[in-house]
Amino acid sequence: MSKLNIVLFEPEIPANTGNIGRTCVATGTRLHLIEPLGFRLNEKSVKRAGMDYWEHLDVTRYINYEDFLAKNPGAKIYMASTKAPRCYTEVQYEPDCFIMFGKESAGIPEEILLENQETAVRIPMMSEIRSLNLGNSVAIVLYEALRQNQFSQMQLEGHLTKYDWK
């Protein structure tokens, strides 16, 4: 079964990673964390943001970017960055692709972006704004990738608890 993959390059804020972890559980997406992390994964703030979903998260840690590449050879990796030349809606996301986001303070290093310029994407925003919150950015791009893949294996219809829809 194919799964989308979210990659966080050296995340710094535990609450963002916790929220992203919860989003990954809710969407059946794998989470990949490239060290160094700006926090310990056992911190209360990570678990609080991920709530009781964290134990269900499919998460892999890597000691650095080179370790990530070595353990995922041939992976299609989209680089989400405010510096990217193309909008995130202008690409076709494969069912098992990786979407990488950089650390909160600096994003993905420019040398990595240059090596991957064909797959670098951005979320449009006003020029006066440096960036969106990392958790929001992940959700925006991830849900576009899920939409393009027909929300594969996701529940598409909600149900009321006390009533039936007419």
Side-chain angles (χ1 to χ4, degrees):
M1 171 173 81
S2 295
K3 281 189 171 187
L4 289 167
N5 298 273
I6 293 297
V7 182
L8 301 182
F9 181 90
E10 301 179 3
E12 300 165 315
I13 301 174
N16 284 339
T17 300
N19 287 325
I20 292 164
R22 183 175 179 168
T23 299
C24 287
V25 171
T27 59
T29 302
R30 290 185 184 104
L31 179 61
H32 304 263
L33 302 174
I34 298 175
E35 297 181 6
L37 309 180
F39 51 88
R40 292 188 317 269
L41 280 178
N42 60 357
E43 286 188 27
K44 283 171 57 174
S45 53
V46 173
K47 300 217 171 158
R48 185 174 332 140
M51 296 180 66
D52 54 347
Y53 298 96
W54 193 260
E55 67 188 61
H56 304 290
L57 179 62
D58 183 353
V59 62
T60 305
R61 292 172 67 175
Y62 304 89
I63 58 172
N64 55 34
Y65 180 65
E66 291 73 25
D67 182 38
F68 167 76
L69 292 177
K71 291 179 177 168
N72 297 286
K76 180 70 175 248
I77 307 168
Y78 293 92
M79 303 284 171
S81 170
T82 59
K83 300 171 185 173
R86 180 173 30 186
C87 181
Y88 74 101
T89 58
E90 296 175 16
V91 299
Q92 180 62 46
Y93 299 95
E94 297 80 4
D96 59 350
C97 71
F98 291 72
I99 308 168
M100 182 180 289
F101 296 82
K103 62 180 157 184
E104 291 89 340
S105 66
I108 298 170
E110 288 189 0
E111 56 272 14
I112 294 175
L113 291 174
L114 267 179
E115 293 168 2
N116 296 279
Q117 59 188 307
E118 293 300 315
T119 58
V121 297
R122 72 183 318 273
I123 299 169
M125 65 187 88
M126 304 303 290
S127 61
E128 302 82 30
I129 302 298
R130 185 175 59 85
S131 67
L132 295 172
N133 169 273
L134 181 60
N136 293 339
S137 297
V138 168
I140 289 167
V141 180
L142 175 58
Y143 267 86
E144 172 61 15
L146 290 164
R147 183 195 67 78
Q148 288 184 13
N149 287 280
Q150 289 75 48
F151 298 106
S152 178
Q153 301 178 23
M154 295 180 73
Q155 179 180 330
L156 297 177
E157 185 178 300
H159 303 282
L160 299 172
T161 55
K162 296 181 182 178
Y163 305 97
D164 289 325
W165 292 108
K166 297 191 190 245

